[in-house]
Amino acid sequence: MPVLDADKPKIVFHAAMMSIQNFGFFVMYFAIWLATPAADVCAESRFAEGFMALTCFLVSFLCIGMGFGGYVDDGFTFPFYWIAHAVPAVGGYTTCTFLIPMARFSETGEACATLAPVVGSAVQAVYIVHAGLYWCYVCNMVSVTYFSFLKPTFGLKFKASICVALLALIEAIVFGAMAQYGVFAASPLPSASKK
């Protein structure tokens, strides 16, 4: 069964959302990466920021290829870009979802944030958005896969309300865990020196 014409705009929407999200994270993490001091204490933070930035650049156009393959219902293009997208998405994006807080909130990460407090608070703020949108990204990928492959190949059907409820539950768990681990705690900025 071919991809339904009614599902093609949905494929475009979800692929565009993935691309916009990833390009945004590329820009944010790249700027933070460049602003992170070259001090040894910042090495882990710099690596995590750079790895995430470059991964997001790759994923931002590979997910468009995946969506294109689904839209044109091409049996080669969709699986090729699905795999090409999944490798950096899982190997980089997912890895960095854990690597960035491990680097930022470690002893050396705290020392780096003290050395460059604006960068430290920027990493923390961008990470909150990153972690919060991670499952939105995953749901977009699953949606592209569903409309491009699972639905036309196997005839699977899901209610959108169930998917939205699961996303809301997962996001509540993610934000609850971040609050539990103190991710939302403000990093103190050094006060301006008095002259």
Side-chain angles (χ1 to χ4, degrees):
M1 182 161 108
V3 173
L4 300 175
D5 287 340
D7 290 338
K8 290 185 176 189
K10 297 170 190 170
I11 293 169
V12 171
F13 168 78
H14 289 291
M17 291 292 286
M18 292 168 67
S19 183
I20 291 165
Q21 179 179 335
N22 274 279
F23 193 77
F25 284 131
F26 159 68
V27 170
M28 289 185 276
Y29 278 114
F30 191 76
I32 292 168
W33 182 28
L34 294 180
T36 300
D40 287 343
V41 75
C42 296
E44 291 176 7
S45 294
R46 271 194 325 276
F47 175 79
E49 296 154 4
F51 189 26
M52 182 63 173
L54 297 176
T55 296
C56 285
F57 175 74
L58 291 172
V59 172
S60 67
F61 69 85
L62 292 171
C63 61
I64 293 292
M66 180 177 66
F68 174 73
Y71 186 88
V72 299
D73 201 11
D74 186 313
F76 174 77
T77 305
F78 176 74
F80 173 79
Y81 277 105
W82 192 95
I83 292 167
H85 157 265
V87 170
V90 173
Y93 193 107
T94 299
T95 300
C96 287
T97 301
F98 298 97
L99 190 61
I100 287 174
M102 287 170 57
R104 168 58 182 88
F105 299 108
S106 68
E107 189 175 316
T108 57
E110 291 293 342
C112 181
T114 301
L115 185 61
V118 173
V119 172
S121 63
V123 171
Q124 184 173 351
V126 171
Y127 178 73
I128 289 169
V129 175
H130 162 181
L133 291 179
Y134 176 80
W135 288 105
C136 293
Y137 173 81
V138 170
C139 287
N140 280 314
M141 182 189 175
V142 170
S143 295
V144 171
T145 304
Y146 169 70
F147 291 120
S148 300
F149 177 71
L150 297 174
K151 186 177 177 184
T153 304
F154 302 109
L156 297 176
K157 297 194 179 191
F158 295 99
K159 287 187 175 186
S161 59
I162 292 172
C163 296
V164 171
L166 285 173
L167 175 62
L169 175 63
I170 290 168
E171 289 295 339
I173 292 168
V174 167
F175 279 100
M178 288 194 307
Q180 184 74 23
Y181 288 104
V183 172
F184 298 113
S187 296
L189 293 174
S191 50
S193 59
K194 296 180 181 178
K195 294 182 180 181

